[in-house]
Amino acid sequence: MPYTAYGQPGAPGAAPYGQPPHRSTNGLAVGSLVSGIVCCLPPLGLVLGLVALPQIRKRGQNGKGLAIAGIVLSALSCLLLVAGLVSGGFRSAYDGFKEGVDEASRSRSAFALRPGQCFTDHSKGAEFATDVRVVDCARPHDGEVSGTFKVTGVAAWPGDDAIEDIADKRCEPINAAYAMDTWAIPRNVGLSYYQPSRESWRLGDREVTCAFTGEKPFSGSVRSDSTRLTLDQEHLLLSLNPIETVGYREPEDDPDEDFEANRQWAGELLTAIDSARAGVRDHDWPGTSKAALAALGEELDTASRRWRALSAAADADAYWAAYDAAWDALPEDLGAEARTALGLTGTPPAGEGTQA
C-alpha cells in the first residue's frame, strides 16, 4: 500500500504526499520589483534585485522572476533619470509643478485674505466671493486688504443691512490708519469690504475684511501707515487728514433746506482746522521743512478765521455769504509744499473721491 500522508493526520505542518513543503518568496526580490514599478529611488531597486538573486539560489526561495523584473525596471528608471538630468526635462517638470502649486496657493476665499495683500476678484457680480487670488501689489489688481475685524455682541444673524452698517463704521478708521497719505490713493479707489453671508454665519464666521478697491484695476500699494512713515510725516498727516474727512461729510441738503445741519458741519470742520493749526505750530519740524510748515500754519490761520465766520452764520443768507470765502481759504492742495518737504505725495489725486 502506498504511503499516503506525511506525518500524522491533522498534525501541524502535515501535507499531502508528493507536495513539497511551501517555499517562501524572497522579500528583497519583492522590494526590487516595487521600487522598479513606482520609479522611486531606482538605484535602490537595482541593488535589492542584485542582492536577492544569490539569496534565492542559496535558500531555495521563490522570487527569481520578481528580482529580475525589478532589476530591469530599475535599470530603465536609472537611464531615464540620467537622461532627464542631462536634458533638463526634470527641471522643466518641477518648474511646472511648482507653478501649479503657487497658482493654487494664491486662489482662496476672500476671508483668507490678510492685511497688506493685494488681490484680484474674478467672482465679481456673483453672490459669493469664491475666486479671489493674491497677486503682487506691483501688478494690476482689484483691491488691497487694509485690515479685518470680527462682529461681536450679536448672536443671531442680523441681516445683510445690519452687517453693512457695522462694516461701514468699522472699516473707515481701519482704512484711514492703513493709508494715511490720502493723496497717494489713486482716483476712484475707496473703501470696500467682504462680509459674512447668512450661510457662513451659521458656521461661525464673524469676520469682515476691509479693503481698498477701485472701479478698475490699479497698480502699486496704497499702504502708508505708521510702519512706513517717519514720525514727522505721520504727525503732519494726523494733523491734516481730519480736515479732509470732515470735508467729505458736507450735508447733501443745502442751507436753505437744512440750515442747522450745515452750520453744525461747518463747526466740525472749524474744529478740525484748529486742531491742525495746533499740530503744525507745536511740532519741532526738521530744518529743511520749517519754512514750508510755517507757510502752512499761516494758511490754516486764515482758514480758521473764514470757517469761524461760516459756522457763526445767523441764517442761510449769511451762510451763503461766507461760504465761498471759507472754501477759498481751504484749497484742495492745502499743505502741498509741506507734504513735499517731508517726502510725502505733493499732488492731490485728480477728480473726486479718494475717501469713502
Side-chain angles (χ1 to χ4, degrees):
M1 181 179 292
Y3 193 74
T4 58
Y6 179 80
Q8 297 296 320
Y17 181 77
Q19 179 177 330
H22 177 70
R23 297 170 63 188
S24 63
T25 300
N26 186 275
L28 295 180
V30 176
S32 174
L33 179 63
V34 172
S35 298
I37 292 175
V38 300
C39 297
C40 63
L41 298 176
L44 176 61
L46 185 61
V47 171
L48 291 177
L50 293 174
V51 173
L53 286 177
Q55 288 187 358
I56 291 170
R57 288 195 297 269
K58 182 177 180 180
R59 300 174 184 176
Q61 293 177 304
N62 293 325
K64 181 177 179 180
L66 300 179
I68 293 174
I71 291 172
V72 173
L73 292 173
S74 296
L76 290 174
S77 297
C78 287
L79 292 175
L80 291 174
L81 177 62
V82 172
L85 292 175
V86 171
S87 66
F90 281 107
R91 179 63 186 178
S92 298
Y94 171 76
D95 290 342
F97 172 76
K98 184 174 181 297
E99 183 178 351
V101 171
D102 290 344
E103 185 75 10
S105 69
R106 290 193 295 267
S107 183
R108 60 190 67 191
S109 161
F111 300 106
L113 294 171
R114 292 295 172 259
Q117 291 181 328
C118 294
F119 60 90
T120 57
D121 185 354
H122 296 290
S123 54
K124 284 183 176 179
E127 184 177 0
F128 301 106
T130 57
D131 191 9
V132 176
R133 188 163 301 173
V134 176
V135 299
D136 190 325
C137 289
R139 295 172 50 189
H141 50 273
D142 296 321
E144 180 174 352
V145 180
S146 57
T148 62
F149 70 89
K150 289 186 179 296
V151 178
T152 58
V154 183
W157 167 246
D160 289 322
D161 291 342
I163 296 294
E164 289 175 6
D165 289 341
I166 295 172
D168 282 334
K169 294 176 182 177
R170 295 284 300 276
C171 283
E172 184 176 345
I174 289 175
N175 275 26
Y178 184 86
M180 297 176 66
D181 189 358
T182 57
W183 289 12
I185 302 174
R187 177 183 178 181
N188 296 324
V189 170
L191 183 150
S192 183
Y193 47 82
Y194 292 100
Q195 65 186 60
S197 65
R198 179 189 296 271
E199 291 75 12
S200 67
W201 185 276
R202 291 172 180 166
L203 299 175
D205 176 28
R206 300 292 186 273
E207 187 167 85
V208 174
T209 301
C210 306
F212 284 92
T213 61
E215 295 179 1
K216 59 183 181 180
F218 59 99
S219 301
S221 173
V222 300
R223 187 169 193 170
S224 56
D225 56 13
S226 58
T227 66
R228 300 193 177 187
L229 299 171
T230 68
L231 292 177
D232 294 316
Q233 291 172 334
E234 183 177 4
H235 184 84
L236 179 63
L237 293 175
L238 287 174
S239 299
L240 295 181
N241 284 355
I243 298 176
E244 285 187 351
T245 301
V246 177
Y248 285 120
R249 295 176 182 167
E250 184 175 10
E252 293 184 4
D253 294 334
D254 63 35
D256 295 320
E257 298 171 331
D258 194 342
F259 168 71
E260 187 55 35
N262 281 269
R263 191 182 66 80
Q264 182 177 346
W265 165 76
E268 292 172 358
L269 192 50
L270 171 63
T271 299
I273 293 170
D274 285 342
S275 177
R277 290 172 63 206
V280 169
R281 181 180 59 248
D282 298 340
H283 188 75
D284 184 18
W285 302 103
T288 56
S289 65
K290 286 184 182 297
L293 269 299
L296 173 60
E298 293 176 1
E299 287 184 278
L300 290 171
D301 289 340
T302 301
S304 177
R305 291 193 296 271
R306 302 284 175 80
W307 282 87
R308 190 174 304 280
L310 183 64
S311 63
D315 52 36
D317 290 338
Y319 190 95
W320 281 122
Y323 184 82
D324 287 340
W327 274 116
D328 288 343
L330 202 64
E332 282 189 2
D333 60 349
L334 177 71
E337 292 184 7
R339 290 171 180 261
T340 301
L342 293 176
L344 295 167
T345 306
T347 305
E352 61 177 285
T354 60
Q355 299 291 313

